[in-house]
Amino acid sequence: MISLLRRNRDIRVVFGAQVVSFLGDWFTFVALAGLVEDVTGSPFLVSLVLVSMTIPGLFMSPIAGSFADRFDRRKILIVVSIIQACASLLLLLHSVVGIWVVFFALSIIAAFAAFVGPATSAAIPNLTENEDDLRRASALFGSTWGIMLAVGAALGGVFASVFGRDAAFIANAVSFVIAALLFASVRRPMQSERTKNASTRRVRPLADMKEAINIAKKDKIILALLCSKMTFAVGAGIVSQLAVLASTAFNTGDAGRGLLIGVRGIGSGLGPIIGARIVGRDMAKLLKVCGFAGLIFATCYLAAAFSPFIGMAAVFIALAHLSGGAQWTLSTLGLQIESPDEIRGRVIAGDMALVNTMIGITSILAGLTSEAIGVRYAIMVFSIAAAIASVIYLIATAGIRERLRNESLQQ
């Protein structure tokens, strides 16, 4: 992956933009989780912080996917980053207009973030020279999210404690501006010539997404890849309760919140690299790893729920997200390989819409469950649900994996 960054300038630039943007995001998340809990004392409202970062993407995904396939992806990323920078500054108004502005600003940031995932993921195959470099790039970008989560959340907790939460919000706005400048310096086209010609057609969000759905119905591999992240998302709502777990179960403040949120990134950073090495070029193995990764994610969170001290919980959470990070990145890589460029943005947008919907729903339910029976038991409930979903996925995809293995043997 280091050699890819050294050889490919445009991948290096997009990577840099992602690094600074993710760093700012997790600075903000830790500060906001602590702010909402301190002001309201409600685990449910803390869960809404994560909901505000996911649900708006559902409503924007059809439009975002169409834009990624119709228009210049580089220009989309520049404009979106500038809008997100402005929205980040609205967080500074929480002490003036009330805590509601936090959810409003986060919703704007998340709504426009829906454009970033499809545009960058769909563009990566056009910025790499061959399939091996695409695999390296996919692992690199997948691990970047995790590494920046670890670094950003850990530093964010300390940063917010030392300099105040408003300083973290300003840092996030600056990160979006830097990202916009880096995206502007990309030289190579981020879409194929065919996609550029298609950009003259009118954007039709519903019709365009229907076209992507029809392709998924015809291609069972794409359908299986779209369903993969859903097993992770069934349990992912418990992530919204990590700040509550740190403060109520282990009696820590922003530093403890930053630890539990940050160790997710250690696992998420290593998971894509390990997953890519295990899978190689084998699509059948990719689907299998995605299924077992969801099962490991659920098991580790179940262990974290009843850990006697925060250090043990942190280890299990890191292991959970090692599996979650591998699953997330491998399923996206599969979609990048299987989906044609002219519709890749819509397929990836649909993937993000599905997973964000499930994460948003489970985050709300996790917050309500946490208030009703306590945070430890809430995590237990959703861990078991995620484990069941993973087993169902492995059973449902067994036929597809067998067909792929047979096709591989015949070649």
Side-chain angles (χ1 to χ4, degrees), residues 312-396:
M312 182 181 292
V315 170
F316 281 118
I317 290 168
L319 291 173
H321 286 277
L322 186 147
S323 298
Q327 183 196 59
W328 188 285
T329 300
L330 290 176
S331 60
T332 300
L333 170 62
L335 291 175
Q336 289 172 325
I337 293 172
E338 292 291 322
S339 304
D341 183 69
E342 65 270 14
I343 200 168
R344 190 182 299 135
R346 280 166 281 172
V347 171
I348 292 175
D351 183 42
M352 295 307 301
L354 288 171
V355 72
N356 283 335
T357 299
M358 183 59 73
I359 291 175
I361 292 171
T362 55
S363 295
I364 292 172
L365 294 176
L368 293 171
T369 306
S370 180
E371 287 197 340
I373 63 176
V375 65
R376 289 186 187 270
Y377 288 104
I379 293 175
M380 179 191 73
V381 168
F382 285 90
S383 296
I384 293 172
I388 294 171
S390 297
V391 172
I392 293 173
Y393 178 82
L394 285 167
I395 295 171

Side-chain angles (χ1 to χ4, degrees), residues 116-183:
V116 177
T120 53
S121 295
I124 295 304
N126 300 307
L127 299 179
T128 51
E129 304 293 342
N130 50 58
E131 189 171 307
D132 285 336
D133 275 358
L134 172 59
R135 293 177 185 277
R136 295 186 186 98
S138 183
L140 175 67
F141 281 87
S143 64
T144 300
W145 182 90
I147 292 169
M148 287 303 102
L149 165 57
V151 174
L155 291 179
V158 175
F159 189 90
S161 298
V162 175
F163 298 104
R165 289 162 177 157
D166 285 352
F169 303 153
I170 294 172
N172 191 33
V174 171
S175 74
F176 284 126
V177 172
I178 295 173
L181 294 173
L182 288 171
F183 285 132

Side-chain angles (χ1 to χ4, degrees), residues 79-237:
V79 173
V80 163
S81 296
I82 293 172
I83 293 173
Q84 289 177 307
C86 296
S88 295
L89 295 177
L90 291 177
L91 295 170
L92 298 172
L93 301 177
H94 66 87
S95 60
V96 178
V97 299
I99 201 69
W100 66 266
V101 77
V102 166
F103 302 106
F104 175 72
L106 273 182
S107 295
I108 294 175
I109 294 171
F112 283 94
F115 289 82
V116 177
T120 53
S121 295
I124 295 304
N126 300 307
L127 299 179
T128 51
E129 304 293 342
N130 50 58
E131 189 171 307
D132 285 336
D133 275 358
L134 172 59
R135 293 177 185 277
R136 295 186 186 98
S138 183
L140 175 67
F141 281 87
S143 64
T144 300
W145 182 90
I147 292 169
M148 287 303 102
L149 165 57
V151 174
L155 291 179
V158 175
F159 189 90
S161 298
V162 175
F163 298 104
R165 289 162 177 157
D166 285 352
F169 303 153
I170 294 172
N172 191 33
V174 171
S175 74
F176 284 126
V177 172
I178 295 173
L181 294 173
L182 288 171
F183 285 132
S185 68
V186 175
R187 295 172 182 170
R188 197 179 311 185
M190 299 180 78
Q191 60 283 313
S192 69
E193 191 65 32
R194 179 176 180 180
T195 303
K196 290 171 70 175
N197 292 338
S199 68
T200 58
R201 293 167 54 188
R202 183 168 56 90
V203 172
R204 305 166 301 158
L206 296 180
D208 286 343
M209 288 304 293
K210 183 179 179 180
E211 186 179 353
I213 291 170
N214 288 336
I215 285 183
K217 288 180 179 179
K218 295 176 183 177
D219 191 324
K220 300 301 182 184
I221 298 175
I222 291 179
L223 183 60
L225 291 165
L226 288 173
C227 292
S228 173
K229 289 190 184 72
M230 295 294 284
T231 61
F232 162 84
V234 166

